[in-house]
Structure formats: C-alpha cells, structure tokens
C-alpha cells in the first residue's frame, strides 16, 4: 500500500486503519509505504519518523521518498497493490509489477464521496497504456453500490464497552490530561473540535459562551491543530497544550494530538463532534453522535458539490425543519453562508432530534459491508480469475 500525506492526518489516517484491518482481520502480510512519517507518528505514537524501515502491529512500514529508495532491498510487489488517493506509484515499482508471472491486482483506492456518479465508476478497470497491467478504481461510499466505509468488525462492541465503563472513561481523561466531572449537577455539553482554519470559529465560540452562561456549561475539547489561531483570536491570548481556558461557563480544553484509538474514544464521549477531511468524518458517523463536517477545500468550489451530495443523503430521512437547520449550519461552517447567532441557535435547538437520528444513521450504515472486507473480496475475485 502506498500513501502520500496531503491532508496531514486524513490520508495516513485512512491508510493506517485499512492496513491494520487487512493484517488483523484478514490475515494479509502488509507493507505500507508512507512519504511523511512525522505525520504518521502524530496518529500512531509508536512510529519513529527517523527510521527508513520499521515494523509495528505486524505491518512493515517503509519511508517513501523520491527518487524511489528501497534501502538496498530487492522489493517484490505484493499480490495486491493499493495506490491510495491517486498517489501515483513509482515507475520502477510499476515495471516490477508487470514482470511478475501473475501481475498483482492493482487498486486505486479513491476519496470518499456521496455523489451519484461514484457507483457508476466503482471497480471500473483502467488498462496501463503500455504495460500488461490493469488498475481498478475502488470508491468508498454510503450504499451497497460502492465499496462502503472503513469499519472494524468489533467497533460497535468496543464503543459500547467504553461508554459503559467508568474505569475506561476515567483512564481516557487522565491520558488527555484532564479530570472531567461527568456527574455534575448540571451536565455539561461536550464538544470535540477538529477543523481546518475557519474564520467562523470565533463567532461560534462567542455564541457558545453566551449559551453556556444561560444554559448548561459547555466544554470544548480542542486538539492543537490548525484551529489554534482562530481559538486564540476568540480568547485574545496565546494557547498551549494541556491547559483550560474559561470564558464564563464555556471551558476550552487544549491538548496535543492523540492516537487513533483515543481519538475514537473522544468522538464516542462527546455530544457533538466537529470533524474535517475524511478519516475523522467517517469515524464520527460510527460514533453515533451529531457531527459537523468541514470538507477539504478544493479549487473551483468542487467541495461544495461534495458537501451538498452528503447533506442530501444525510438529511433525506430527517424532518424538513431539522434538515434545513443542519444544512444551513454546515453551509455557514464551510464558508458558503454567514454564520450568525440565529443559525447557531437553530442548530443547537435541534440537538435532541439530531442525537436520535445519528444513532439511526449509524445503524443503517452498519448493515452494509465494510470497505476493507469489500476490497479483499474484490481482490480475491480477480485473483481467482487470473489463476
């Protein structure tokens, strides 16, 4: 599997989850090539970004650098080669694939989209212009006509066990560096905030401060990522990891980035999850909590089409008023409209309906085959045909 890190934690986040599931649940020997091991170490703290090769969780991890350097090893392509997000394999590696007696099954794992055209392109072949190789496009998606979404087999069981265990929750808060009063008289609203730079964020925090002072307290859990400047603009002071910043009944907890298992736990615990890109976006859906998605910015506003496609699908079974409020907030959060206090209040006023709906959405998504299993099944079907 080959991964180029474009969106910091998103690309490697998807690849690392897939690699672990291929190895752990399907028993495949996996070699992962990554061009940015520092970003990788951000989501898996056991990775040493200084090493050219290493093994973790039974997976071989190689630094991918240009020109393609195999550290003196003769690299034979595997039976399955996964090119993630059109990252373009090294030419020498492609030529080695073509020299194998039985060419590998070559898959381009594409980005997730809810757009209608995806199902028509899922698993389509693309012959190499000069070598005896065929690449197949594999699209994640939200229904059975696509490859599905990444989901470990026991994910929902682990989520429920965590939520039912006071000891596990307490241990999680301790690792995060905080002690959270989960049984306070006036139960706080917990919000996780993982986003890109966003000029609407200070406005959101200001309104949350006002609401927290007149309603229940609000705790905003914010990793030290690209939101740092916007949070500092709201607070009027610099922030650092491991601190708590109070504005009335709004408390902002900042922390260093955590590994993937703990990020899942954060999503499970919070009442609302702000997410970005692809990996956190999918994990928030499995958390069965209301979510707000900041989509990755693309030129010519192509991301607006993708956002609308998801919102059309997600709100299809919501009542009209709640669906309209959710859409309006998403459009404002993504910069297509102005985020106002009224927009925020409408969205927060729909939280009860959104909580119930998030659980129904998660149950329905769980009925379809997970992405990793679908990918392995597709590989096996092609491998059998090739003898």
């Amino acid at each position: 599997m080959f991964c180029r890190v474009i969106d910091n934690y998103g690309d490697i986040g998807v690849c690392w989850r897939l690699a672990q599931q291929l190895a752990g649940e399907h028993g495949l020997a996996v070699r992962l090539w990554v061009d940015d091991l520092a970003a990788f170490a951000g989501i898996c703290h056991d990775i040493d970004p200084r090493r050219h090769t290493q093994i973790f969780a039974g997976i071989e991890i190689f630094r991918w650098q240009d020109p393609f350097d195999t550290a003196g090893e003769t690299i034979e392509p595997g039976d399955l080669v996964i090119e993630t997000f059109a990252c373009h394999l090294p030419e020498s590696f492609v030529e080695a694939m073509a020299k194998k007696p039985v060419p590998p099954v070559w898959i381009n794992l594409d980005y997730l989209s809810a757009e209608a055209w995806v199902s028509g392109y899922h698993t389509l072949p693309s012959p190499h212009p000069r070598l005896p190789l065929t690449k197949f496009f594999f699209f994640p998606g939200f229904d059975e006509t696509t490859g599905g979404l990444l989901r470990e087999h026991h994910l929902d069981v682990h989520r429920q066990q965590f939520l039912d265990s006071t000891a596990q929750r307490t241990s999680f808060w301790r690792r995060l560096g905080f002690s959270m009063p989960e049984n306070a008289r006036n139960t706080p609203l917990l919000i996780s905030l993982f986003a890109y730079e966003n000029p609407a964020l200070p406005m959101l925090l200001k309104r949350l401060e006002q609401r927290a002072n007149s309603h229940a307290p609000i705790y905003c859990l914010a990793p030290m990522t690209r939101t740092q400047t916007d949070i500092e603009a709201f607070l009027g002071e610099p922030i650092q990891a491991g601190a708590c910043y109070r504005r009335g009944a709004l408390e902002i907890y900042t922390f260093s980035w955590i590994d993937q298992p703990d990020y899942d736990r954060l999503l499970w615990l919070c009442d609302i999850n702000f997410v970005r890109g692809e990996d956190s976006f999918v994990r928030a859906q499995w958390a069965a909590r209301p979510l707000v998605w900041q989509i990755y910015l693309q030129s010519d506003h192509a991301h607006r089409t993708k956002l609308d496609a998801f919102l059309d699908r997600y709100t299809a079974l919501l009542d009209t008023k709640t669906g309209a409020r959710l859409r309006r907030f998403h459009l404002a959060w993504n910069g297509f409209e102005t985020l106002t206090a009224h927009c925020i209040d409408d969205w927060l006023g729909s939280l009860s309906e959104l909580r119930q709906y998030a659980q129904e959405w998660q149950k329905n998504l769980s009925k379809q085959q997970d992405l990793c299993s679908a990918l392995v099944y597709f590989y096996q079907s092609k491998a059998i045909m090739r003898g």
Side-chain angles (χ1 to χ4, degrees), residues 162-163 169 172-173 182 190 265-271:
F162 175 74
L163 293 175
R169 296 196 308 274
F172 168 77
W173 291 125
E182 295 186 327
L190 297 181
R265 296 180 183 105
L266 178 68
L267 296 175
W268 298 342
L269 277 175
C270 286
D271 301 293

Side-chain angles (χ1 to χ4, degrees), residues 8 57 64 72 83 118 149 155 169 182 186 198 203 218 220 234 242 261 264 287 296 301 307 313 372 378 382:
N8 209 3
W64 180 13
E83 171 187 344
V118 166
L149 302 175
L155 178 61
R169 296 196 308 274
E182 295 186 327
N186 200 358
N198 194 330
M203 173 62 196
I218 297 175
C220 180
F234 165 73
D264 283 340
Y296 186 75
H301 281 188
L307 178 62
R313 188 180 292 265
C372 184
F378 178 78
K382 295 300 177 185

Side-chain angles (χ1 to χ4, degrees), residues 296-314:
Y296 186 75
L297 184 67
Q298 292 180 288
S299 60
D300 301 325
H301 281 188
H303 56 298
R304 171 65 189 266
T305 302
K306 293 183 177 182
L307 178 62
D308 283 334
F310 171 71
L311 292 174
D312 288 345
R313 188 180 292 265
Y314 191 81

Side-chain angles (χ1 to χ4, degrees), residues 17 150 152 155 264 267 279-287:
R17 291 189 195 276
L150 275 176
E152 299 83 3
L155 178 61
D264 283 340
L267 296 175
D279 182 55
S280 60
F281 173 50
V282 172
R283 303 309 282 193
Q285 293 174 68
W286 296 133

Side-chain angles (χ1 to χ4, degrees), residues 54-128:
Q54 54 198 299
I55 296 176
F56 182 70
I59 297 167
E60 288 185 309
I61 299 163
F62 276 60
R63 180 192 305 278
W64 180 13
Q65 56 192 32
D66 299 318
F68 188 52
D69 181 7
T70 61
E73 291 194 38
T74 300
I75 301 297
E76 180 181 353
D79 302 310
L80 168 63
V81 175
I82 302 175
E83 171 187 344
T84 63
F85 312 127
C87 63
H88 302 298
L89 303 184
E91 189 60 32
S92 60
F93 189 86
V94 174
E95 291 173 354
M97 290 165 58
K99 292 177 182 177
K100 294 193 70 172
V102 179
V105 177
W106 181 6
I107 291 176
N108 176 64
L109 178 64
D110 220 309
Y111 288 104
L112 171 64
S113 177
E115 294 169 279
W117 63 265
V118 166
S119 60
Y121 285 82
H122 177 56
T123 71
L124 280 185
S126 175
H128 194 279

